Amino acid sequence: MGAGFSAVFPHRLNGTEIAAMAEKLAGSSLPVLIGHIKEIQYNNPHVSCSWCWEREQRYTRESNYTKKNLFDSIEEELECRGTLLLKGPAGIDLLFSRHMCELQTGSRWVYVLSNPEYRESIRAVCCEIAGVLDAQFAVYMADSCCASDYLYDEHSMEYYLSSLHKRFGPPAKSLDVLLLTQERTRSSEGYFIDFFQQRD
């Protein structure tokens, strides 16, 4: 199937601010994100849904053995579990830890690298999400490089960047460099840091 595209952002949101993210995104006026979602849903109506948290649930005797949330609130669940997944429309998910957020779009890594128009569209989506998270940059890489593991292990962005540097060396100078590496070696290794304040 191939590796998927992953974008990881730092954030300093508290539990209450993270808990409000589903409602914030549902009521937001992020034109690039909304346009991206509509385009995907037009061609794939089966991926239509609204922003909602994937909560841990269990069957309880008190609820007549129907499923009930294991935790009373998003904040409590994040505190106990360390991560929470916000599922969105068009297959877009946001995985939150206390320090980082990973955007998963369902897009193939090689497609993002090799299709300039789509690549710029995804970068614009990431720029808008960075604005919501108050992040200055995002790290792009293939999901086969296990970015999610760093969130599940509750590492900081500093630790994540240090680990990437140890594994792959410095970040690629451009996404075109990663495309050339992909074509030459058939490997999805390497990463790129997109600094949004420097974009045109």
Side-chain angles (χ1 to χ4, degrees), residues 43-82:
N43 296 309
N44 305 278
H46 62 283
V47 294
S48 181
C49 70
S50 57
W51 294 98
C52 64
W53 291 103
E54 189 173 83
R55 305 289 303 275
E56 189 170 337
Q57 297 182 321
R58 66 179 174 190
Y59 293 97
T60 64
R61 191 182 324 179
E62 297 81 22
S63 61
N64 294 323
Y65 295 99
T66 57
K67 281 189 177 180
K68 182 180 176 184
N69 289 334
L70 187 59
F71 299 95
D72 292 332
S73 68
I74 298 292
E75 293 92 332
E76 180 187 357
E77 190 161 350
L78 180 63
E79 182 64 31
C80 292
R81 291 178 57 195

Side-chain angles (χ1 to χ4, degrees), residues 111-139:
Y111 185 72
V112 171
L113 292 177
S114 61
N115 187 313
E117 185 177 345
Y118 187 74
R119 179 200 306 176
E120 288 310 305
S121 173
I122 286 291
R123 290 179 77 188
V125 166
C126 289
C127 187
E128 280 193 339
I129 290 175
V132 173
L133 299 173
D134 196 25
Q136 299 301 310
F137 66 92
V139 180

